[in-house]
Amino acid sequence: MESKNIMIVGVGGQGSLLASKLLGRLLLSQGYDVKVSEVHGMSQRGGSVVTYVRCGEAVHSPVIDKGEADIIVSFELLEAARWLEYLRPGGQIVTSTQQIDPMPVITGAAEYPTGLVDAMRNAGAKVDALGCLALAEKAGSSKAVNIVLMGRLSHCFDLPAAAWDAALEAVVPPKFLELNRRAFALGRDA
Amino acid sequence: MKQLLLGNAAAARGLYEAGVAVASSYPGTPSTEITEELAKFDAVTCEWAPNEKVAMEVAFGASLAGKRSFCAMKHVGLNVAADPLFTVSYTGVNAGMVIAVADDAGMHSSQNEQDSRHYARSAKLPMLEPADSAEALGFAKLAYTLSEQFDCPVLLKMCTRIAHSQSVVETGARVEPPAKPYEKNIAKYVMMPANAIRRHPHVEQRMAALADWAETADVNRVEPGADRSMGIVTSSTSYQYVKEVCGDRFPVLKLGMVWPLPEKKLRDFAAGVDKLVIVEELDSFIETYCRELGLPCVGKALFPPLGEFSQNLVAEKLGLPVPQGAALSVPIPARPPVMCAGCPHRGLLYTLARNKCTVLGDIGCYTLGAVAPLSAMEMTLCMGASVSALHGFNKALGAAAEGKTVAVIGDSTFMHSGMTGLADIAYNQSNSTVIILDNSITGMTGHQQNPTTGYNIKGDPAGKIDLEALCRAMGFRRVRVVDPYDLAACDKAVKEELAAAEPSVIISRRPCALLKYVKHAPPLKVDADKCIGCKSCMRIGCPAISVRSGKARIDATLCVGCGVCSQLCKVGALCAAGKE
């Protein structure tokens, strides 16, 4: 059984917990052993957040360490760059191109770096960068960026579309299901 | 049914299946979700208590009455509850009692990274330590069996990575435990000296019996390994890192009960390997015990006494290959946590910064006020310390401090431990100004109700403590309420109360902007023709505001229209939608 290490990174409050819930449920339904590690509490308040999703025959550590991630899914460009060291050589980055200034940039103590996508590619990563915010808004809500990213991520797995949809249905409230289905499809097909 | 459960949810499931009837806790990361998940079961009477000491005493009372009981807290919460803990160890229990304590190595959301295992040893109580969600569920059930068999509360020790990781569990049905009718027993339950002297031998005998139990318990298991050059003793999340890195190569003694420790099992294990290695996060605990037994071992000489471990750290320290990744050479600006856009704490803390107040702070989201650009906090210690430390500060320095020093404390933290400090100010009369940041919720830990909100853990209407009436009843004549979105009103209140010749309380009241029932105004807009790029609006450190090309810019996905920034703009460039 193939094992995979997926990191979901972003800014606290962007909806990474729903994304990891979806992935966890999906992978469990496919017969994998799964561990998902989240961060709650203070770091959620607009800070850099990371969720680890691991699957395989038998998973021990709940976290992913430097050089171990097969895929990094990022809600924000700077965060993809911040966690790059966790990607294994030749690993895949799936990122939204959205940029959110961290406080040191807001206060002028630091600058938001430019050319990050190229820099990550030069470092050996495969980078799939997508304007997820616009796609989420097109689907009906700026909050659906997480599901747009999941749609995009679905290309990295050899799993049936029905399994993704079943996992989506299981984690999203019924009244938002159609919106999230649109978001998923927009991310997948963009 | 097989399902993925958070460690905390799995612990809650285990407690439920074991027939817990009464649970009382105070929220604290990373322990909070155990009680929140437990509250979803109608069969359990589940409550938030004002603090951990109260929670533990409630749980004890329920156990005394004959119902299986539970309380949960974070590591520092156990300090608050240490008083009942050490003596419940003497009285023992009637029905089973379980105390969950969650450590936070790496301090994801804590003010220190103390190691709770020392409490088990010093209070002379057994401590179980799960290594994944399935064990969290199973150990919670086992804890009740042990509690009733050995007549003592049992500590269930979690840590961030077990509490907040999901792994696969199999759930079962709830089994109602046998009835344990309450019986009057003064010698057992009244801990005055004459009785306590007679209880202490029971405590020592119990721990000896538990140590015997630990020798054969399958929660302490030896996993064989062909390479006997090294044998590893470990538990909790460290066990998972060891298995990740070493697989089945070395023999491993995996401890599910970390106190009391199995002496013979440790000696036998050590005798079968060339080198005994102890892998444990934070303090030397298992290692210290092994050294007391005279077993040569390597632990903290190799592994750090601080922070979280990981598989790469374990690999490096054991001399095994470590995976490498490629970092970027460009500097990546840090992204520390910040107060949310629209946070009601911001306006008040900005006012304190503007007035150059010395701010003694407390535990909550508002601690983030210490960060630039507000930098409006100069002390944070523990729950409630702002109020009592303010009294001490003012007593030490007198009028020079009284006119510019304040305490800031949230509503939940005030209920937890601030009231007693306020009583001290009222009693010993320092001319102190205490500011209660009442955002109508326990915010930092993710929105738990508390005695001032009027709702209970299930969201049903509950008793509601009136903060103004409470402060007045303590003897404060100057008690006033301000809206922290109104900077002029905040400024007036702070100036007047600091100038007043008697102690005072300011209640800065507005609900947390993240609460679902809070209605937000539309995002503000920047009139680029008026904006002169002076960055006055940036002084409040709102994550929704940035400056691009010399003009303020508002992120409409973050802005909740609180309007605090517009009160700082001298040219009227920041306006509510539709008012341009």
Side-chain angles (χ1 to χ4, degrees):
Chain A
M1 185 178 265
E2 189 193 14
S3 62
K4 261 202 167 71
N5 293 331
I6 308 131
M7 283 169 70
I8 304 171
V9 304
V11 179
Q14 282 192 299
S16 60
L17 289 185
L18 183 72
S20 64
K21 202 170 164 187
L22 187 152
L23 271 186
R25 186 170 278 264
L26 170 77
L27 295 165
L28 188 68
S29 77
Q30 299 302 303
Y32 287 96
D33 184 23
V34 181
K35 280 190 179 169
V36 178
S37 189
E38 310 162 353
V39 171
H40 300 221
M42 183 177 260
S43 17
Q44 275 185 303
R45 302 276 172 262
S48 172
V49 293
V50 57
T51 303
Y52 308 99
V53 180
R54 307 190 67 209
C55 68
E57 185 79 40
V59 178
H60 288 292
S61 171
V63 300
I64 296 166
D65 215 329
K66 287 176 183 168
E68 287 191 332
D70 298 293
I71 306 165
I72 294 178
V73 180
S74 180
F75 287 71
E76 202 273 348
L77 200 54
L78 185 66
E79 294 310 308
R82 181 187 316 284
W83 295 94
L84 183 70
E85 204 176 354
Y86 283 73
L87 196 68
R88 67 168 168 75
Q92 175 76 52
I93 285 179
V94 178
T95 184
S96 173
T97 51
Q98 192 181 353
Q99 298 189 10
I100 300 173
D101 286 352
M103 198 47 69
V105 172
I106 289 177
T107 60
E111 282 189 21
Y112 197 107
T114 54
L116 286 174
V117 170
D118 287 338
M120 291 191 286
R121 285 195 178 122
N122 292 337
K126 290 181 230 151
V127 183
D128 182 4
L130 190 67
C132 297
L133 184 58
L135 291 173
E137 282 164 353
K138 194 172 161 192
S141 167
S142 61
K143 292 194 174 120
V145 164
N146 48 9
I147 303 301
V148 172
L149 277 166
M150 290 298 102
R152 198 68 187 169
L153 177 70
S154 65
H155 292 292
C156 302
F157 290 83
D158 187 17
L159 294 176
W164 284 92
D165 193 63
L168 191 63
E169 197 172 344
V171 300
V172 169
K175 65 174 176 174
F176 296 120
L177 183 59
E178 283 314 311
L179 187 158
N180 280 294
R181 278 190 172 133
R182 285 196 298 275
F184 188 90
L186 283 167
R188 183 190 58 209
D189 302 335
Chain B
M1 190 181 78
K2 246 187 170 184
Q3 55 181 309
L4 267 185
L5 275 189
L6 203 61
N8 280 346
R13 180 76 208 184
L15 298 164
Y16 165 76
E17 290 179 10
V20 64
V22 177
S24 178
S25 302
Y26 185 80
T29 312
S31 72
T32 312
E33 299 81 5
I34 308 177
T35 310
E36 286 183 323
E37 291 294 325
L38 207 48
K40 293 176 183 171
F41 298 110
D42 288 336
V44 186
T45 299
C46 200
E47 298 174 346
W48 290 128
N51 69 31
E52 295 85 355
K53 177 179 186 290
V54 173
M56 191 178 287
E57 291 156 353
V58 168
F60 172 68
S63 159
L64 185 66
K67 299 288 185 182
R68 286 192 169 180
S69 70
F70 173 72
C71 58
M73 57 208 68
K74 66 185 295 174
H75 57 326
V76 286
L78 192 52
N79 300 336
V80 178
D83 198 359
L85 181 80
F86 278 71
T87 306
V88 179
S89 174
Y90 276 41
T91 61
V93 300
N94 181 17
M97 175 174 168
V98 174
I99 300 162
V101 56
D103 283 9
D104 188 19
M107 291 179 276
H108 294 274
S109 201
S110 301
Q111 66 269 39
N112 74 31
E113 53 183 342
Q114 67 186 53
D115 188 330
S116 295
R117 294 176 299 174
H118 298 296
Y119 271 112
R121 188 167 190 170
S122 55
K124 306 187 185 221
L125 290 170
M127 178 179 266
L128 298 170
E129 187 173 43
D132 59 20
S133 296
E135 285 193 350
L137 194 161
F139 286 12
K141 292 164 84 166
L142 172 64
Y144 280 111
T145 309
L146 292 177
S147 175
E148 288 172 4
Q149 184 181 343
F150 292 95
D151 188 13
C152 60
V154 173
L155 291 157
L156 181 68
K157 195 218 146 199
M158 307 290 284
C159 67
T160 298
R161 290 300 171 192
I162 303 301
H164 289 162
S165 293
Q166 302 176 44
S167 60
V168 182
V169 302
E170 298 246 20
T171 57
R174 177 174 170 97
V175 177
E176 290 299 333
K180 296 260 182 187
Y182 170 69
E183 283 171 23
K184 183 174 177 178
N185 187 343
I186 292 172
K188 185 172 191 288
Y189 292 120
V190 180
M191 284 304 94
M192 54 189 184
N195 291 341
I197 286 167
R198 289 188 197 98
R199 289 298 303 173
H200 194 177
H202 289 283
V203 174
E204 302 301 333
Q205 287 155 17
R206 168 185 82 216
M207 292 315 282
L210 272 158
D212 286 344
W213 182 87
E215 296 290 355
T216 54
D218 55 12
V219 296
N220 296 329
R221 65 172 185 264
V222 174
E223 297 180 1
D227 185 347
R228 296 182 162 270
S229 62
M230 174 162 56
I232 300 169
V233 183
T234 186
S235 71
S236 184
T237 190
S238 299
Y239 162 79
Q240 303 292 1
Y241 304 140
V242 166
K243 294 303 281 187
E244 183 78 31
V245 167
C246 304
D248 298 330
R249 181 174 163 187
F250 305 108
V252 170
L253 172 51
K254 194 272 187 194
L255 296 169
M257 182 187 256
V258 288
W259 192 257
L261 286 162
E263 177 182 343
K264 184 170 182 303
K265 203 167 227 169
L266 282 162
R267 287 191 189 281
D268 290 350
F269 182 76
V273 296
D274 297 343
K275 183 165 81 168
L276 190 64
V277 178
I278 318 291
V279 185
E280 55 185 333
E281 277 183 347
L282 300 177
D283 296 348
S284 162
F285 184 80
I286 301 169
E287 180 187 357
T288 298
Y289 181 77
C290 289
R291 290 188 187 283
E292 285 167 12
L293 298 182
L295 297 174
C297 57
V298 183
K300 292 299 160 189
L302 211 50
F303 291 92
L306 42 87
E308 283 190 297
F309 290 2
S310 69
Q311 50 265 43
N312 282 7
L313 178 118
V314 170
E316 180 206 324
K317 300 299 178 190
L318 296 180
L320 300 165
V322 181
Q324 301 289 333
L328 290 187
S329 51
V330 289
I332 306 289
R335 191 185 300 276
V338 290
M339 277 190 284
C340 307
C343 176
H345 301 326
R346 179 176 285 109
L348 199 282
L349 289 167
Y350 171 76
T351 302
L352 298 176
R354 283 286 285 174
N355 282 284
K356 298 191 166 52
C357 293
T358 302
V359 181
L360 306 185
D362 226 294
I363 307 285
C365 291
Y366 44 90
T367 312
L368 294 168
V371 183
L374 289 174
S375 306
M377 193 160 293
E378 301 179 34
M379 186 286 291
T380 299
L381 187 69
C382 63
M383 298 286 282
S386 62
V387 182
S388 5
L390 172 67
H391 177 74
F393 198 88
N394 284 342
K395 281 286 179 182
L397 297 179
E402 287 171 345
K404 60 173 229 173
T405 311
V406 298
V408 297
I409 181 167
D411 47 326
S412 188
T413 309
F414 180 74
M415 280 292 120
H416 179 289
S417 291
M419 288 191 290
T420 40
L422 202 69
D424 194 29
I425 292 173
Y427 171 47
N428 286 311
Q429 289 288 304
S430 59
N431 182 10
S432 293
T433 299
V434 172
I435 302 173
I436 302 173
L437 302 172
D438 178 9
N439 64 349
S440 308
I441 203 73
T442 312
M444 180 93 276
T445 44
H447 286 175
Q448 289 73 34
Q449 304 295 341
N450 70 56
T452 69
T453 66
Y455 294 93
N456 65 20
I457 191 171
K458 292 181 195 256
D460 297 326
K464 179 173 166 54
I465 289 174
D466 181 331
L467 284 172
E468 295 93 307
L470 175 71
C471 298
R472 288 201 180 96
M474 283 192 183
F476 286 79
R477 293 184 301 177
R478 300 186 69 95
V479 179
R480 66 198 280 178
V481 178
V482 292
D483 177 359
Y485 279 1
D486 184 341
L487 292 182
C490 287
D491 192 66
K492 187 166 183 287
V494 166
K495 283 192 165 77
E496 288 178 1
E497 296 313 322
L498 280 171
E502 59 182 296
S504 56
V505 175
I506 300 172
I507 300 168
S508 168
R509 177 170 289 148
R510 186 171 268 276
C512 171
L514 298 182
L515 283 167
K516 287 205 172 91
Y517 68 79
V518 172
K519 296 267 179 288
H520 295 312
L524 266 59
K525 293 195 167 158
V526 180
D527 185 334
D529 294 334
K530 288 186 184 167
C531 179
I532 53 171
C534 69
K535 297 187 180 177
S536 291
C537 54
M538 310 276 287
R539 295 201 305 257
I540 51 171
C542 176
I545 309 173
S546 54
V547 168
R548 284 286 151 85
S549 313
K551 302 281 182 186
R553 190 186 68 159
I554 289 180
D555 183 336
T557 65
L558 291 177
C559 177
V560 297
C562 75
V564 171
C565 59
S566 68
Q567 297 168 49
L568 299 174
C569 183
K570 294 185 182 68
V571 296
L574 299 164
C575 28
K579 288 189 185 168
E580 291 146 77

